[in-house]
Amino acid sequence: MSHKAVLAIIFLTISAYTLYKIIKNKPEYLLLLGVRGLFSIFFLHFINYICTANQIAPVVSANPASLCVGAFLGIPGIVFLYASGIYLA
């Protein structure tokens, strides 16, 4: 198995376990995660729009991983994605 497949299995396992714990203990937290995830994706698209309007290549794209980071960490998570993307570029 490649390392990408192993990482995907680990990510999915942790995500499924976390979702199970959230639904079992606090079902209202699931709504909060959904709202924060949507807000973070809107924020990410807004930053990408500003970057492309100024002819700067967007560093972070909207995908399930950035949605999860934004849902769990909020705006600091999106800032971390951009900071790590700029640092690694």
Side-chain angles (χ1 to χ4, degrees), residues 6-28:
V6 171
L7 287 175
I9 290 171
I10 291 171
F11 175 75
L12 290 174
T13 304
I14 292 172
S15 297
Y17 179 73
T18 304
L19 189 62
Y20 168 73
K21 284 297 198 178
I22 289 170
I23 291 173
K24 183 179 174 188
N25 295 334
K26 293 183 179 181
E28 65 273 1

Side-chain angles (χ1 to χ4, degrees), residues 29-85:
Y29 190 69
L30 191 60
L31 178 66
L32 177 65
L33 282 178
V35 170
R36 281 194 345 204
L38 286 175
F39 181 72
S40 66
I41 290 297
F42 288 137
F43 187 67
L44 191 124
H45 279 293
F46 177 72
I47 292 174
N48 285 345
Y49 174 76
I50 297 296
C51 288
T52 54
N54 293 321
Q55 284 106 21
I56 300 171
V59 179
V60 178
S61 63
N63 55 33
S66 60
L67 175 70
C68 290
V69 168
F72 283 109
L73 300 177
I75 298 299
I78 298 298
V79 171
F80 171 73
L81 286 175
Y82 274 98
S84 62

